[in-house]
Amino acid sequence: MKVVQTNQAPAAIGPYSQGIIVNNLFYSSGQIPLTAEGVMIEGGIKEQTHQVFKNLDAVLTAAGASFETVVKATVFIKSMDDFADINEIYGEYFSTNKPARSCVEVARLPKDALVEIEVIALVK
């Protein structure tokens, strides 16, 4: 087991890692729309979703993986009313590779984020 850590994504805000590699699989922690400095970005669901994908890109890169090697994504959203906007942006990052996905509406996310996404990816 190998811990993945990068300064290009926000540091863990609790007793967990940004991600873990086991054998050839990378498991990310959920990414919320914090900057690498740990500041919540301003804006609505579209801006927050792009920041989440920026953070996912950073941890995937640090793990030796990429959006093309993601096999499963889990999307947590504060409101299903935002699903269409999130799905549109999601499709920009997963245009060729379309991993398995779950999407659930939750009562509340850390730091009152509107979206959180975690992934499982093959390490190159």
Side-chain angles (χ1 to χ4, degrees):
M1 184 169 75
K2 177 185 173 196
V3 173
V4 173
Q5 193 282 325
T6 177
N7 293 332
Q8 301 303 306
I13 54 176
Y16 60 90
S17 302
Q18 289 173 322
I20 298 287
I21 297 172
V22 177
N23 296 325
N24 66 331
L25 285 176
F26 169 66
Y27 299 85
S28 81
S29 289
Q31 293 296 314
I32 61 174
L34 296 176
T35 65
E37 296 76 35
V39 176
M40 182 67 76
I41 64 146
E42 294 187 19
I45 191 62
K46 290 182 178 184
E47 293 82 5
Q48 286 198 16
T49 304
H50 278 295
Q51 183 64 47
V52 166
F53 275 101
K54 182 177 179 181
N55 295 342
L56 286 170
D57 186 42
V59 295
L60 283 163
T61 299
S66 68
F67 290 119
E68 290 76 34
T69 67
V70 172
V71 295
K72 174 73 167 84
T74 305
V75 181
F76 304 95
I77 59 178
K78 183 161 176 63
S79 172
M80 275 295 175
D81 294 339
D82 291 331
F83 180 80
D85 287 335
I86 293 168
N87 201 47
E88 179 183 337
I89 294 165
Y90 181 97
E92 294 175 21
Y93 293 89
F94 292 113
S95 58
T96 54
N97 174 43
K98 294 176 177 42
R101 178 178 77 181
S102 301
C103 180
V104 294
E105 181 182 87
V106 296
R108 194 168 179 200
L109 290 167
K111 303 223 179 245
D112 291 318
L114 301 176
V115 60
E116 178 176 0
I117 302 174
E118 63 184 29
V119 295
I120 300 170
L122 292 170
V123 175
K124 299 175 188 172

